[in-house]
Amino acid sequence: MAPTLAETTTDSFDIADFVINQGNGVKGLSDLGIKSLPRQYIQPQEALINIIPNESIPVIDMSNWENDPKIAESVCEAAEKFGFFQLVNHGVPLEVLEGVKDATHRFFGLPAAVKRKYSKELSPSNSVRFGTSFSPDSEKALEWKDYLSLFYVSEEEASALWPPECKDDCLEYMKKSEILCKKLLTALMERLNVKEIDEKKESLLMGSRRINLNYYPRCPNPQLTVGVGRHSDVSSLTFLLQDEIGGLYVRVNEGKGEEDGWVHVPPIEGSLVINVGDALQILSNGRYRSVEHCVIASGSKNRISIPVFVNPKPSDVIGPLPEVLAAGEKPKYKNILYSDYVKHFFRKAHDGKKTVEFAEM
């Protein structure tokens, strides 16, 4: 039986059991109407961030992409300087974006017992995972987030194993964003003197994909916790659809002598937020930058976001591309099996940009 409201304010019941084992997630805690944040979610002071107001990442309008080479140039410059940019008029239909947002609310609105069927212990496949926080076993403080993670193997597997409440919308979103992904990667590769994305390069850049449905419920003490701790993605590129609530922050000016801090990525209706992941940083020998980002919890509203992570295949070996090193540039990263890199990322708590050190020479 769920604890009563009076009990939930005193930390007198087993939070881990309720949230993780019973599958209630932090949504379950929030739905109980708890008045104060359980101690398990209170982050150390250094996890909280210095926000720089009135600044943000570039917003790029793609409506004239085919005729105006300056747009592709803007994408490459944003990937070099910020590691993050926001796209409008990108060609992914608004109804597809709205559909996957509705599907996310549908899935998280299911009873805990239904969602729990997709947990680590019960899921029919490693490709389908419902969970909470990031890595509860290795975190000193838990993150205020629930998620459903869907690794795309094939349309057949997805149709058979992904939750029926969201699978069609997720597949449609992935399909439509793939066209955009190829456009962006073609432009980014041209800037690195890669003239053609052949089969091998395509595998390295976008050989596997994962979609996450993220749910950040209203939080009683948002200033004491985080929705997602500071980290960079392990992808080549990440495509993020966020709702109108906001809460995504990106680190800027790190080590540049200017004010180092965090800027908000304001929600723009119909836009997609794109960021460079560690794999592309390594493949470009550091030319494109994967950048730390985090999510702040909200005290007033439930927030969702839907990232698609476009990755190398797990069996690919990633390292600086030969075209990048052709002019005599020294490699900054060693060749590393991508699945080893990903395992290293997932076996620890979020820790900023430390994962990329695993691949440094």
Side-chain angles (χ1 to χ4, degrees):
M1 195 172 88
T4 65
L5 183 58
E7 287 175 301
T8 67
T9 57
T10 62
D11 267 0
S12 64
F13 74 104
D14 188 336
I15 292 276
D17 182 60
F18 178 78
V19 171
I20 300 165
N21 304 335
Q22 294 178 37
N24 289 291
V26 284
K27 181 179 187 295
L29 279 182
S30 183
D31 288 349
L32 287 172
I34 58 170
K35 296 287 188 273
S36 61
L37 189 72
R39 57 181 167 71
Q40 291 88 338
Y41 290 90
I42 297 175
Q43 296 286 332
Q45 199 54 41
E46 62 271 17
L48 308 174
I49 62 171
N50 165 43
I51 293 167
I52 303 174
N54 309 320
E55 264 194 62
S56 200
I57 59 169
V59 177
I60 299 169
D61 185 338
M62 284 187 74
S63 50
N64 201 22
W65 175 269
E66 307 302 337
N67 305 314
D68 185 355
K70 285 196 178 127
I71 302 170
E73 214 171 287
S74 302
V75 163
C76 296
E77 280 167 10
E80 287 178 6
K81 188 178 174 196
F82 293 93
F84 261 84
F85 49 95
Q86 210 163 169
L87 294 179
V88 294
N89 299 316
H90 43 65
V92 181
L94 196 57
E95 60 270 22
V96 171
L97 302 182
E98 291 305 316
V100 79
K101 284 198 274 190
D102 290 345
T104 303
H105 283 292
R106 262 198 315 277
F107 177 79
F108 286 101
L110 292 170
V114 179
K115 290 183 287 194
R116 191 170 169 264
K117 289 194 301 195
Y118 303 103
S119 66
K120 189 177 177 180
E121 295 71 31
L122 301 175
S123 180
S125 162
N126 279 337
S127 305
V128 181
R129 181 66 42 82
F130 166 69
T132 190
S133 194
F134 173 67
S135 178
D137 295 340
S138 53
E139 289 165 325
K140 290 193 176 97
L142 297 171
E143 299 177 349
W144 193 258
K145 178 190 88 166
D146 299 329
Y147 67 87
L148 175 70
S149 185
L150 303 168
F151 184 79
Y152 180 83
V153 176
S154 67
E155 188 116 9
E156 295 70 43
E157 186 188 274
S159 294
L161 298 177
W162 289 12
E165 294 76 14
C166 59
K167 69 180 173 194
D168 292 342
D169 292 287
C170 287
L171 284 167
E172 186 63 14
Y173 173 45
M174 289 177 92
K175 213 174 282 176
K176 290 290 192 285
S177 59
E178 188 178 358
I179 303 158
L180 173 61
C181 182
K182 284 183 175 166
K183 277 185 189 172
L184 297 178
L185 284 169
T186 300
L188 290 162
M189 287 299 107
E190 276 178 11
R191 180 88 150 206
L192 300 176
N193 297 317
V194 176
K195 301 299 178 208
E196 188 207 351
I197 299 181
D198 58 20
E199 212 173 299
K200 188 180 173 199
K201 290 268 192 329
E202 187 166 311
S203 175
L204 266 179
L205 292 164
M206 52 185 300
S208 71
R209 285 173 297 152
R210 178 187 296 279
I211 181 169
N212 273 24
L213 310 184
N214 295 332
Y215 190 90
Y216 306 91
R218 193 185 65 75
C219 178
N221 304 105
Q223 71 286 2
L224 298 178
T225 191
V226 292
V228 178
R230 45 175 78 185
H231 70 287
S232 58
D233 294 342
V234 292
S235 56
S236 301
L237 287 179
T238 301
F239 289 65
L240 179 80
L241 172 62
Q242 54 174 350
D243 65 11
E244 72 289 354
I245 311 299
L248 172 65
Y249 285 80
V250 172
R251 192 167 187 180
V252 294
N253 301 329
E254 188 189 359
K256 291 188 181 173
E258 301 168 57
E259 187 184 0
D260 175 18
W262 297 74
V263 299
H264 187 227
V265 179
I268 299 170
E269 191 183 354
S271 74
L272 286 168
V273 178
I274 313 296
N275 66 276
V276 172
D278 293 353
L280 186 55
Q281 176 171 318
I282 291 164
L283 291 164
S284 70
N285 205 34
R287 176 93 175 255
Y288 298 130
R289 300 174 58 229
S290 72
V291 171
E292 280 183 71
H293 50 288
C294 66
V295 173
I296 300 299
S298 167
S300 57
K301 293 188 171 156
N302 302 320
R303 175 183 185 260
I304 58 162
S305 71
I306 303 120
V308 173
F309 302 102
V310 178
N311 313 306
K313 274 198 181 125
S315 57
D316 281 330
V317 172
I318 58 169
L321 293 166
E323 292 89 342
V324 178
L325 302 178
E329 201 176 299
K330 291 263 188 301
K332 295 174 182 169
Y333 307 100
K334 57 194 176 200
N335 288 334
I336 189 166
L337 185 67
Y338 184 64
S339 60
D340 287 347
Y341 190 84
V342 173
K343 276 180 202 146
H344 180 66
F345 176 70
F346 279 105
R347 69 166 65 106
K348 58 191 174 44
H350 280 139
D351 56 3
K353 282 275 291 176
K354 287 196 180 149
T355 309
V356 88
E357 292 169 12
F358 184 62
E360 285 173 356
M361 292 295 265

